[in-house]
Amino acid sequence: VIAREDRPGDKRLVGYVIGRADPAGARAALAERLPGYMVPAAVVVLQELPLTPNGKLDTRALPAPEYRDVDRYRAPESPIEDLLAGIYAQVLGLDRIGVDDSFFELGGDSILSMQVVARARAAGLTCRPRDVFVEQTVARLARVITVADDAIGPVDEGIGELPATPIMRWLQGVQGPVDQFNQTMVVQAPEGAGEADVVIVLQALLDRHAMLRLRVDDEAGEWSLTAPEAGSVDARECLRSVDELSDEALVEARSRLNPATGVMVSALWATSTGQLAVIIHHLAVDGVSWRVLLEDLNIAWAQHRLGQPLALPAGGTSFARWASLLADHANRPEVMDQADAWAEVMSTPALLPAVQPAVDTF
């Protein structure tokens, strides 16, 4: 696999194989095992690998891939295929796309796949970036894609007051300060991205997810949680720039978290390495929601890079509504009937010795 730049400024990974390997099958197998940015945009089958007079691989003699195969065009046969073919064509800048044409063999890449996902969702189709990588063609993607069902619940922005979930109430009861209780993720920005770009995509993230704007008021020992409207948090106030990431810089960035004033996000941009550290209070993020946030971050960058308006996919059920549904469920008779059994479990003496603060650590 080598990085080719057959068009100025457009580097793409291209794989070369010998034997009877199927290019599409090879890409599908790689997509199952590798992150998207490591999967070749195309796989070329050769009779033999070109060698230099010294017997080493001659990379300059490797041919450029053919990204189009106009002879095998097959028209869409269903409304979903027709919609996906149109999205493929728009994203790739082509006049038409056959349902058997591979998105990546036509010149697609990981950034453009995010555009496919964003446009598919805007059209009411449920699609993930991984689906594009694994399925590749319109026909195969149409088989796994689903039509968004508005009947599963109202789409809401999740703003306003919301009830505290059990894990939130546990956090409130922890002895000691919790203002800096966070999860942090460091992401590598694409080449050429600068601080101004980071502000734009970070603002899109803050405006899309209400929990990133959460405000926590302590009223007589009880937390009151409110998610204000989009636009109430300025990404520029959340972001600081440093030359490079360091423990000291991360500690300082973390110290800016303040749920009482609605500062749930603190970001650190390393100018020399193009790294972005995103620090989010644990009230607003967990291991599962990071997947959503990182996907939205990539979609926002793809839209920004292509000069398009930033429009992240709308969600289904907000955290606020989910928390309300959870509270309602907890008070249903069939759940309340289990209270005595759980009280008995809680009253059972522990088999382990009590915590010894002098020697045990948290």
Side-chain angles (χ1 to χ4, degrees):
V1 176
I2 63 171
R4 296 188 64 99
E5 191 173 2
D6 296 306
R7 290 180 293 183
D10 184 14
K11 285 188 176 181
R12 295 179 179 177
L13 292 181
V14 178
Y16 296 89
V17 297
I18 57 175
R20 293 179 292 178
D22 171 57
R27 286 200 72 267
L30 292 173
E32 290 285 353
R33 301 174 63 91
L34 298 174
Y37 64 85
M38 294 181 67
V39 179
V43 174
V44 179
V45 179
L46 302 174
Q47 292 294 325
E48 59 183 15
L49 293 175
L51 303 178
T52 67
N54 295 327
K56 296 181 179 180
L57 177 64
D58 187 358
T59 55
R60 293 184 178 182
L62 291 169
E66 292 289 339
Y67 286 117
R68 296 205 62 181
D69 186 358
V70 296
D71 295 332
R72 64 176 189 178
Y73 173 79
R74 185 164 70 88
E77 298 178 354
S78 69
I80 292 182
E81 286 186 352
D82 188 56
L83 190 58
L84 288 175
I87 292 173
Y88 271 33
Q90 291 172 7
V91 170
L92 294 170
L94 300 175
D95 294 332
R96 69 175 188 177
I97 299 291
V99 296
D100 298 319
D101 295 333
S102 168
F103 177 76
F104 296 95
E105 291 180 4
L106 292 171
D109 56 25
S110 58
I111 293 294
L112 292 178
S113 72
M114 295 291 181
Q115 277 293 299
V116 172
V117 171
R119 295 189 185 209
R121 288 179 175 175
L125 303 177
T126 302
C127 179
R128 303 172 303 166
R130 182 170 182 80
D131 295 332
V132 181
F133 274 102
V134 173
E135 304 302 335
Q136 304 174 40
T137 69
V138 167
R140 289 172 55 180
L141 185 58
R143 289 199 295 265
V144 302
I145 211 168
T146 57
V147 179
D149 185 1
D150 294 335
I152 62 174
V155 175
D156 61 273
E157 296 298 326
I159 59 177
E161 295 185 5
L162 63 143
T165 59
I167 195 65
M168 289 176 164
R169 289 194 289 270
W170 168 84
L171 181 61
Q172 182 188 9
V174 170
Q175 297 298 314
V178 296
D179 283 356
Q180 297 184 32
F181 192 38
N182 74 90
Q183 287 192 348
T184 298
M185 188 75 71
V186 177
V187 296
Q188 181 65 52
E191 186 177 352
E195 183 177 354
D197 302 307
V198 174
V199 170
I200 291 172
V201 297
L202 189 60
Q203 188 67 59
L205 213 61
L206 290 167
D207 292 343
R208 168 64 188 84
H209 297 281
M211 289 300 288
L212 299 182
R213 310 186 298 270
L214 184 69
R215 182 182 296 270
V216 183
D217 296 316
D218 195 334
E219 301 176 354
E222 290 293 328
W223 279 356
S224 175
L225 309 176
T226 307
E229 296 81 3
S232 60
V233 177
D234 189 343
R236 288 169 293 190
E237 297 297 321
C238 301
L239 183 66
R240 298 289 187 277
S241 290
V242 293
D243 182 55
E244 61 182 3
L245 297 182
S246 65
D247 291 342
E248 293 78 13
L250 288 169
V251 167
E252 193 279 329
R254 186 181 66 205
S255 70
R256 297 199 300 272
L257 294 176
N258 189 350
T261 60
V263 182
M264 304 298 291
V265 178
S266 178
L268 201 59
W269 170 247
T271 56
S272 65
T273 60
Q275 291 176 301
L276 177 67
V278 184
I279 306 170
I280 304 178
H281 197 281
H282 205 356
L283 284 170
V285 75
D286 61 13
V288 175
S289 47
W290 272 114
R291 305 174 197 170
V292 179
L293 293 176
L294 293 176
E295 181 177 314
D296 280 354
L297 195 67
N298 277 310
I299 291 175
W301 165 252
Q303 293 172 336
H304 174 59
R305 176 199 179 202
L306 296 174
Q308 299 174 350
L310 270 61
L312 295 179
T317 303
S318 70
F319 183 88
R321 182 168 181 268
W322 179 84
S324 297
L325 292 172
L326 184 64
D328 292 342
H329 176 78
N331 288 285
R332 292 172 62 178
E334 59 267 34
V335 177
M336 295 297 293
D337 288 345
Q338 301 177 30
D340 291 341
W342 284 113
E344 182 179 348
V345 171
M346 294 298 293
S347 65
T348 303
L351 296 177
L352 298 175
V355 173
Q356 303 174 63
V359 294
D360 293 333
T361 59
F362 177 75

